[in-house]
Amino acid sequence: GEDVEQSLFLSVREGDSSVINCTYTDSSSTYLYWYKQEPGAGLQLLTYIFSNMDMKQDQRLTVLLNKKDKHLSLRIADTQTGDSAIYFCAESKRYGGSQGNLIFGKGTKLSVKP
Amino acid sequence: DTAVSQTPKYLVTQMGNDKSIKCEQNLGHDTMYWYKQDSKKFLKIMFSYNNKELIINETVPNRFSPKSPDKAHLNLHINSLELGDSAVYFCASGGTATNEKLFFGSGTQLSVL
């Protein structure tokens, strides 16, 4: 199976919370990331979490990591229409001397309805 | 200032041609990368490069070659373009022990006709 899996679609109403889930396979990943891609745009790093952490909060974003279950989630509080985008979960793998080999999920398309 | 910039943003070309995509980063990172995003939005690493080593994903055809004139640049050359090469190509930098975040360029959409 795929190294990183996430559901493909999520639809929420403006003002609600969005929760995007992800599972990964490599327990040796040092970092886990959430990237956002707006239509026709590049990848924007939203947040990342070090593998020895359980939770990381950054303004409206909360990342939860369950290392035992290899489960990562991204919660967006008070979701806005500007949050509509594709959200990619990624785990890092060593690639020579770098951590830059990111294994991406296929992305979750978040649609926010007014 | 754009941290990772790549040009062109769009590239339309005929099958069999040779083309290049340029990438520059002003973040002072030692390591740069090329990623490919296919029509289903699936992203996969193609190369990792710093001044010490080039790592090539074994699935990348040898028609693709990265060229780095200096630490801030990693260009992607593609020979004998094929229809299946149509995709969005992203340059990135970072991802080292001291700069664990990976920063991406805005992508180059390559269409091979």
Side-chain angles (χ1 to χ4, degrees):
Chain A
E2 297 292 340
D3 289 299
V4 179
E5 293 190 1
Q6 49 184 129
S7 53
L8 295 180
F9 301 99
L10 177 65
S11 180
V12 300
R13 291 217 171 269
E14 195 172 17
D16 288 349
S17 291
S18 308
V19 179
I20 303 171
N21 293 302
C22 168
T23 56
Y24 60 97
T25 57
D26 189 350
S27 57
S28 67
S29 292
T30 309
Y31 298 97
L32 295 135
Y33 302 82
W34 285 104
Y35 279 85
K36 177 182 178 182
Q37 186 177 31
E38 296 182 31
L43 292 159
Q44 174 195 352
L45 176 64
L46 274 182
T47 187
Y48 67 102
I49 189 167
F50 191 56
S51 57
N52 68 356
M53 296 170 65
D54 297 324
M55 186 180 91
K56 181 177 180 181
Q57 188 149 3
D58 183 3
Q59 299 181 331
R60 292 190 298 121
L61 304 178
T62 303
V63 178
L64 295 178
L65 175 60
N66 181 329
K67 202 171 177 182
K68 175 175 167 289
D69 295 337
K70 299 190 185 71
H71 183 267
L72 184 73
S73 68
L74 173 70
R75 179 176 180 269
I76 306 172
D78 186 25
T79 314
Q80 303 297 307
T81 53
D83 295 324
S84 294
I86 299 176
Y87 291 80
F88 291 92
C89 170
E91 60 175 344
S92 65
K93 287 195 173 182
R94 289 206 65 85
Y95 203 62
S98 79
Q99 291 283 354
N101 180 12
L102 299 190
I103 309 300
F104 284 88
K106 291 187 176 178
T108 298
K109 185 173 182 179
L110 174 65
S111 299
V112 182
K113 298 179 180 178
Chain B
D1 286 342
T2 304
V4 182
S5 59
Q6 52 183 111
T7 54
K9 189 168 174 63
Y10 301 98
L11 182 55
V12 181
T13 189
Q14 299 285 336
M15 227 169 38
N17 284 350
D18 302 336
K19 289 292 178 187
S20 295
I21 306 171
K22 294 184 176 180
C23 179
E24 177 181 4
Q25 55 99 359
N26 61 7
L27 298 167
H29 292 158
D30 291 325
T31 308
M32 296 181 72
Y33 312 80
W34 279 102
Y35 278 78
K36 178 181 178 181
Q37 186 177 42
D38 64 22
S39 58
K40 295 181 180 177
K41 302 293 187 186
F42 189 51
L43 278 150
K44 197 162 186 181
I45 193 166
M46 299 176 71
F47 305 100
S48 161
Y49 183 81
N50 63 26
N51 58 6
K52 294 175 186 171
E53 63 182 344
L54 168 67
I55 300 180
I56 302 170
N57 184 323
E58 64 275 6
T59 66
V60 175
N62 58 14
R63 297 181 294 103
F64 290 78
S65 58
K67 294 206 183 343
S68 179
D70 55 57
K71 197 175 91 164
H73 296 84
L74 184 67
N75 303 323
L76 181 65
H77 294 266
I78 316 169
N79 294 325
S80 303
L81 278 155
E82 299 178 358
L83 294 175
D85 297 332
S86 296
V88 181
Y89 293 84
F90 287 98
C91 178
S93 73
T96 64
T98 53
N99 291 290
E100 67 282 348
K101 289 177 280 188
L102 206 63
F103 294 86
F104 284 81
S106 56
T108 296
Q109 183 160 343
L110 171 65
S111 299
V112 182
L113 307 177

